[in-house]
Amino acid sequence: MKLAKRVEQVTPSLTLAIDAKAKALKADGVDICSFSAGEPDFATPAHIVEAAKQALDAGKTRYGAAAGEPKLREAIAQKLQNDNGLCYGAENVIVTNGGKHSLFNLMLTIIDAGDEVIIPAPYWVSYPEMVKLAGGTPVIVPTDEKSQFKITPAQLQQAITPKTKLFIINSPSNPTGMVYTSAELAALAEVIVNNDLLVVSDEIYEKLVYDGTQHVSIGTCSPEIYERTLVSSGFAKAYSMTGWRVGWLAGPVEIIRAATRIQGHSTSNVCTFAQWGAIAALESSQACVETMRVAFAERRQAMFDRINAIPGLSCAKPDGAFYLFPSIAKTGMTSLEFCDALLEEQQVALIPGIAFGADDCIRLSYATDMDTINRGMERLDKFVRSRSGSTEAPRL
């Protein structure tokens, strides 16, 4: 059977593949310490679940508007005004089947064959694949630990060609956890405006920041960049609603209306009663988010300290999200070799950095309990020392 050429261009998700492998081993009784999935280990807050139950009892199980429940679109617009300083109305918002779907809709809406999309590396695994599926060309711009894995204005300018249509920025970042400052965003915004580009800001981790770090939306830097900005986000990470599949895209009305036309012919509306859970998430107390954020901050510190005590590994301290992205360059192994051997020998599941465009790094998620973190870090330490021949005591 001959498949479409677009499918042949798409690389399978390594993050999902390794997470599935770890879960299969665990189901077979193997004691796996998994740091692979980007999924909070907390239950969805009870008041959000209750709102969805009430929606079910009220019969909210019918088709809905393709762009989303009007009340949810209004709540998202209000959140963007209050939290992010972005003057959007409900007409500027489309509700999607998760944050990933919002980005996929956007690519289909604005990218034509031959259009180039600039993506800083390390990047979330799905960005390049979405661009390719839309017929575009991903242009990868490498960054490194010296720049805190952030693209500079000079790098952005150098990557722009007459074919460039869109720039993707992710802050806080998956996989690095790094957060762009307002000054860094303003400098990038100037390049974007001067070259008449669009920018999509993936802000799915915006509420998970630490040590006083402030999240800033690039669209607030100037009136000119606001007109060129799309914001993608959702409820999966901050509200532990990964399986609910409710996300959103906000931006210029013309683009949102076009994305709604595409959604109307692909998925139609988002699960109706799930949207009422999302309304409760936005309109109720945010104490549940803070509880999770504080727990993540504690885990982040514990894992950061343990990793930097292992000879051969080094890790910059992340400002947000729930990932660490240490360098394994000194081990002499590729990231896939490292992760395969670690899972086989020590039953620890990580994601190889090659999935994110950085083969000398690995990604660990600390969205798991402290016991798993402690046991997993002991195993990681043992693995690296066995490979290096080091007998040096851990620097704890």
Side-chain angles (χ1 to χ4, degrees):
M1 181 181 295
K2 184 173 177 58
L3 300 176
K5 291 182 180 179
R6 72 177 66 88
V7 177
E8 297 173 356
Q9 298 180 61
V10 176
T11 304
S13 172
L14 266 178
T15 56
L16 295 179
I18 291 175
D19 187 51
K21 184 177 180 179
K23 287 178 178 176
L25 288 170
K26 195 169 185 177
D28 288 339
V30 180
D31 178 24
I32 299 292
C33 291
S34 181
F35 306 109
S36 59
E39 180 173 40
D41 60 322
F42 296 92
T44 303
H47 67 281
I48 298 174
V49 175
E50 184 59 31
K53 288 179 180 178
Q54 291 178 9
L56 281 167
D57 290 340
K60 297 188 184 300
T61 58
R62 304 287 185 175
Y63 289 132
E69 290 293 320
K71 187 173 181 181
L72 178 54
R73 295 175 74 194
E74 291 171 4
I76 293 168
Q78 193 63 52
K79 172 254 182 279
L80 286 163
Q81 293 178 35
N82 295 342
D83 295 354
N84 306 96
L86 295 167
C87 296
Y88 291 132
E91 68 277 9
N92 297 101
V93 176
I94 178 176
V95 181
T96 59
N97 292 278
K100 181 180 288 189
H101 187 221
S102 76
L103 290 163
F104 188 74
N105 277 347
L106 175 64
M107 299 306 166
L108 292 182
T109 300
I110 66 171
I111 301 301
D112 283 320
D115 286 345
E116 293 179 351
V117 178
I118 297 174
I119 305 172
Y123 47 74
W124 180 48
V125 294
S126 293
Y127 294 148
E129 311 312 317
M130 291 177 182
V131 172
K132 288 187 280 186
L133 283 169
T137 302
V139 176
I140 308 302
V141 179
T143 67
D144 55 34
E145 194 172 334
K146 293 179 182 178
S147 64
Q148 294 185 304
F149 298 111
K150 300 176 187 179
I151 189 172
T152 66
Q155 285 179 302
L156 177 57
Q157 182 63 61
Q158 188 174 14
I160 295 171
T161 75
K163 295 181 179 180
T164 306
K165 184 72 170 288
L166 177 70
F167 170 54
I168 299 177
I169 190 166
N170 177 207
S171 177
S173 163
N174 175 8
T176 69
M178 297 307 177
V179 178
Y180 285 82
T181 67
S182 57
E184 289 166 340
L185 290 172
L188 292 172
E190 185 175 355
V191 176
I192 294 164
V193 170
N194 289 342
N195 289 274
D196 195 23
L197 306 181
L198 293 171
V199 58
V200 60
S201 180
D202 183 347
E203 303 182 3
I204 191 77
Y205 296 97
E206 68 166 295
K207 292 182 179 291
L208 302 178
V209 290
Y210 314 106
D211 296 339
T213 299
Q214 297 294 314
H215 168 264
V216 178
S217 292
I218 192 170
T220 63
C221 292
S222 71
E224 293 77 17
I225 192 65
Y226 169 80
E227 295 174 356
R228 294 166 171 79
T229 298
L230 286 302
V231 179
S232 166
S233 193
F235 297 85
K237 311 300 183 177
Y239 298 98
S240 197
M241 294 172 65
T242 51
W244 292 62
R245 309 316 300 143
V246 185
W248 46 265
L249 181 72
V253 171
E254 182 181 5
I255 293 177
I256 298 304
R257 287 176 178 167
T260 300
R261 290 202 301 271
I262 290 173
Q263 185 157 295
H265 288 291
S266 56
T267 64
S268 296
N269 63 287
V270 174
C271 175
T272 306
F273 55 86
Q275 293 185 68
W276 289 89
I279 292 168
L282 290 179
E283 294 188 343
S284 302
S285 167
Q286 300 299 293
C288 58
V289 178
E290 180 62 11
T291 296
M292 288 187 274
R293 191 196 67 81
V294 169
F296 288 141
E298 180 184 359
R299 298 168 184 183
R300 160 181 164 267
Q301 188 65 53
M303 185 179 280
F304 175 78
D305 289 342
R306 294 294 293 269
I307 286 176
N308 279 303
I310 301 174
L313 300 187
S314 63
C315 185
K317 196 168 189 178
D319 303 308
F322 40 62
Y323 307 106
L324 292 177
F325 202 62
S327 170
I328 59 166
K330 292 182 180 179
T331 69
M333 304 172 71
T334 68
S335 60
L336 194 56
E337 289 170 345
F338 187 100
C339 291
D340 280 345
L342 180 62
L343 183 58
E344 178 70 25
E345 296 175 21
Q346 292 293 334
Q347 295 75 56
V348 175
L350 312 178
I351 304 297
I354 190 63
F356 310 100
D359 200 20
D360 58 352
C361 293
I362 52 176
R363 192 195 78 174
L364 300 88
S365 167
Y366 49 87
T368 189
D369 61 274
M370 286 296 294
D371 178 63
T372 300
I373 290 173
N374 289 329
R375 290 188 298 114
M377 292 304 98
E378 289 175 5
R379 296 179 188 185
L380 177 60
D381 184 279
K382 183 177 179 180
F383 172 79
V384 175
R385 289 173 187 277
S386 72
R387 293 296 173 126
S388 66
S390 173
T391 58
E392 177 187 344
R395 302 187 303 277
L396 299 180

